[in-house]
Amino acid sequence: MGADRSTCNQVTVGGVDYPVQLDTGSSDLWILGSSAPIPGANDTSQSYNLTYGIGWAFGHVAYASAEFAGISIPKQAFLDVSSAQNPALSYGADGILGLGFTSLSTVDALVNSTGASTGRTLLYNLFQDNPSEPNFIAFSLESTTDAGDTIAGSFSVGETEPAYANVTSTNKIPTWPVNSPTRWNVLLDSFIVGTQTVPVSSSVSGAPSNKAVVLLDSGTSYTYAPTDVCQAIYGGVAGAQYDSGLGQWVVPCSAEIDMALQIDNQIFPINPLDVSPQSTGDPTTCVGSFVPQSVSVGAGQFDWLIGDNVLRSVYALYDFGDFDSSGKMGNPYVQILPLVNPDQASVDFHTVRGGTPNTNITYAVSNDAASGSTTVSLSTDVANTIDKLSKYLPAMLGVMALNALILIVLAIAGLVLLCRRKGKTARARKIPGRLSPMPMNNTNMNRFSDMPPPGSHTYEPVSMALTEDTLFAPPSPAFKGDSRQGERPRSVA
């Protein structure tokens, strides 16, 4: 069931529509209605103060019928909030709808503590109660140009936006960890600033040393990254400086910063208007949307928190796991389609900020140089074979040299006979050479032919979906595949 949506979507709870912030970084649904309990809801005695990186929401666990993206859920657990402080409320939302895994859900952990199992996330119940619905979501984020034109966001459940159908042909990017993840984490290969590829590293236990674990979080406006990463992005920009009071880099608005991320050997350019957006407090000042953090952003669970400044430049599909022919569900993954043409983005940048656009902006996929040399282990049989070859190698070389000498003599004799033949002319037919390789451009221009030109964006600082993991939630797959084997279709058409 699909429909055009912005990142603030409608969810129906107890027969009443509420606008909510869609958040891939959390897993709970909470609603702040005009009264508590909200109409049509049955509150329980369980209460909780749900704390985010920015803001909080206090209320009671409640149950009500729900509907989302045109799909009905007879009974949904959520937090019926009586008081809250959250930036999302300042922009017309009545709550947050977490699109993450049940294993991160505080409401589910609260319900589980009572011995019940009815606290699953809205998406879990949506797919559980509608087995014919493919279990993935896909969306692009809404952006607003300085001229006031709005580029509509798109959100769908179980299908893709027709204009972005190619997303299903892109790499299936595994989550990290691959099995039973709690968040939409993926591994970042590197990032590119201008023509320089910058290697990354991770502080997450078990993660590859030459990768960074990044959380894809649609509930956060900016990206929070290690200090050295932000230094690499803004440190070389003339006139840019770090403002300790602001906690961000301040960048000349005329400075175009061309950069891209490399994930799973794919390049994702970022609109330069999103790398240094205008400050919400002072439109004449531009700030770095990559915000430095002196310590691990995710408390050892991820290294970067990637927010809307990056996600605006892509169309992303979040798949909770394909079902095979036996009904067994596989691991979740993400598919990402780049939406930014770097050359066009440069034109858009200078249309807004002045100056001359850059041209021929390309980003090459870098090999994993940071991983060092590759060690090859040989089996015993292969090692013995090589040892034997080394013993007989001199004799073999002698035989080969004799054969080569005989071939040279025969070749000379043949040339002499050929030259003596009269009346023989060289053939005029030309032998075609090898085809020259086509120049590589990692951004397919045809991909953008139907895309409206992006402009600068209005940033609405909404909650960083970093809930306090104070309650134990046992690791579990997103959905119970075993309870309905064979009933679900594969999630990729």
Side-chain angles (χ1 to χ4, degrees):
M1 178 66 66
D4 287 342
R5 299 284 196 273
S6 67
T7 55
C8 190
N9 210 305
Q10 295 280 343
V11 61
T12 303
V13 178
V16 180
D17 293 337
Y18 299 96
V20 291
Q21 172 73 31
L22 300 181
D23 183 10
T24 57
S26 67
S27 300
D28 290 303
L29 168 65
W30 62 263
I31 301 291
L32 177 62
S34 57
S35 62
I38 65 173
N42 295 318
D43 282 8
T44 69
S45 60
Q46 288 182 295
S47 62
Y48 193 76
N49 186 29
L50 190 62
T51 305
Y52 292 81
I54 301 176
W56 53 269
F58 173 80
H60 287 78
V61 175
Y63 293 91
S65 61
E67 182 177 327
F68 180 61
I71 303 174
S72 298
I73 303 166
K75 186 178 181 181
Q76 176 61 45
F78 67 103
L79 200 66
D80 188 356
V81 170
S82 56
S83 60
Q85 288 184 3
N86 194 289
L89 301 174
S90 303
Y91 299 98
D94 290 334
I96 290 178
L97 171 56
L99 302 175
F101 300 97
T102 294
S103 55
L104 188 63
S105 169
T106 298
V107 170
D108 185 51
L110 288 168
V111 172
N112 284 342
S113 67
T114 67
S117 59
T118 55
R120 304 295 188 179
T121 63
L122 184 141
L123 284 182
Y124 180 99
N125 290 328
L126 184 150
F127 295 127
Q128 176 81 15
D129 296 338
N130 298 272
S132 63
E133 193 69 39
N135 59 330
F136 69 82
I137 57 175
F139 59 88
S140 57
L141 301 184
E142 180 178 338
S143 60
T144 305
T145 67
D146 284 351
D149 297 329
T150 298
I151 300 173
S154 171
F155 180 86
S156 61
V157 175
E159 64 184 35
T160 58
E161 184 72 18
Y164 310 137
N166 283 344
V167 69
T168 59
S169 300
T170 62
N171 294 1
K172 293 181 178 180
I173 304 170
T175 58
W176 181 266
V178 175
N179 298 310
S180 301
T182 56
R183 294 177 169 90
W184 288 109
N185 291 343
V186 297
L187 293 176
L188 176 71
D189 300 335
S190 63
F191 64 98
I192 306 166
V193 180
T195 58
Q196 169 131 21
T197 298
V198 184
V200 295
S201 61
S202 178
S203 63
V204 178
S205 177
S209 59
N210 57 329
K211 309 285 185 182
V213 179
V214 298
L215 167 63
L216 305 180
D217 181 10
S218 64
T220 301
S221 296
Y222 294 153
T223 289
Y224 294 81
T227 302
D228 58 342
V229 169
C230 300
Q231 174 70 37
I233 296 172
Y234 302 110
V237 178
Q241 59 182 353
Y242 177 71
D243 187 327
S244 57
L246 186 63
Q248 291 175 264
W249 281 80
V250 177
V251 185
C253 291
S254 60
E256 176 184 349
I257 303 174
D258 297 317
M259 68 172 295
L261 303 183
Q262 180 174 322
I263 301 173
D264 198 36
N265 293 320
Q266 301 170 97
I267 296 294
F268 301 101
I270 304 172
N271 193 316
L273 287 165
D274 287 328
V275 181
S276 59
Q278 292 177 326
S279 171
T280 54
D282 181 8
T284 64
T285 301
C286 291
V287 296
S289 62
F290 287 80
V291 182
Q293 302 292 298
S294 58
V295 296
S296 176
V297 179
Q301 298 188 36
F302 50 88
D303 303 296
W304 296 28
L305 189 152
I306 291 182
D308 296 347
N309 65 319
V310 173
L311 298 179
R312 291 180 193 273
S313 295
V314 301
Y315 180 74
L317 184 152
Y318 302 82
D319 195 300
F320 287 86
D322 292 338
F323 286 87
D324 60 21
S325 58
S326 65
K328 182 180 179 181
M329 186 178 64
N331 295 319
Y333 58 86
V334 179
Q335 291 179 285
I336 307 176
L337 181 70
L339 301 181
V340 170
N341 176 347
D343 287 346
Q344 182 59 51
S346 180
V347 172
D348 297 333
F349 179 89
H350 291 284
T351 299
V352 175
R353 306 278 180 88
T356 304
N358 295 329
T359 57
N360 299 321
I361 304 172
T362 58
Y363 301 104
V365 174
S366 64
N367 293 324
D368 192 7
S371 62
S373 59
T374 302
T375 301
V376 180
S377 298
L378 300 177
S379 67
T380 302
D381 291 340
V382 174
N384 291 337
T385 301
I386 292 177
D387 182 63
K388 291 179 181 179
L389 286 175
S390 64
K391 293 179 180 179
Y392 299 109
L393 186 60
M396 295 172 62
L397 290 176
V399 174
M400 292 173 64
L402 179 61
N403 290 337
L405 179 61
I406 295 173
L407 288 174
I408 292 173
V409 171
L410 291 175
I412 294 174
L415 288 173
V416 171
L417 292 174
L418 181 63
C419 293
R420 289 180 177 178
R421 296 177 68 178
K422 298 181 180 180
K424 212 58 171 164
T425 59
R427 289 182 294 178
R429 184 174 61 88
K430 293 183 178 181
I431 305 298
R434 293 184 180 183
L435 293 175
S436 300
M438 297 184 67
M440 184 181 69
N441 186 342
N442 289 300
T443 52
N444 186 343
M445 303 300 289
N446 292 332
R447 184 176 292 169
F448 311 100
S449 60
D450 296 328
M451 292 297 301
S456 63
H457 307 300
T458 300
Y459 279 86
E460 300 179 351
V462 295
S463 64
M464 295 166 51
L466 291 175
T467 54
E468 291 181 341
D469 297 327
T470 55
L471 296 172
F472 173 73
S476 60
F479 305 109
K480 297 179 180 177
D482 294 339
S483 64
R484 56 186 191 283
Q485 290 188 1
E487 295 180 355
R488 296 292 305 282
R490 294 181 64 85
S491 60
V492 176

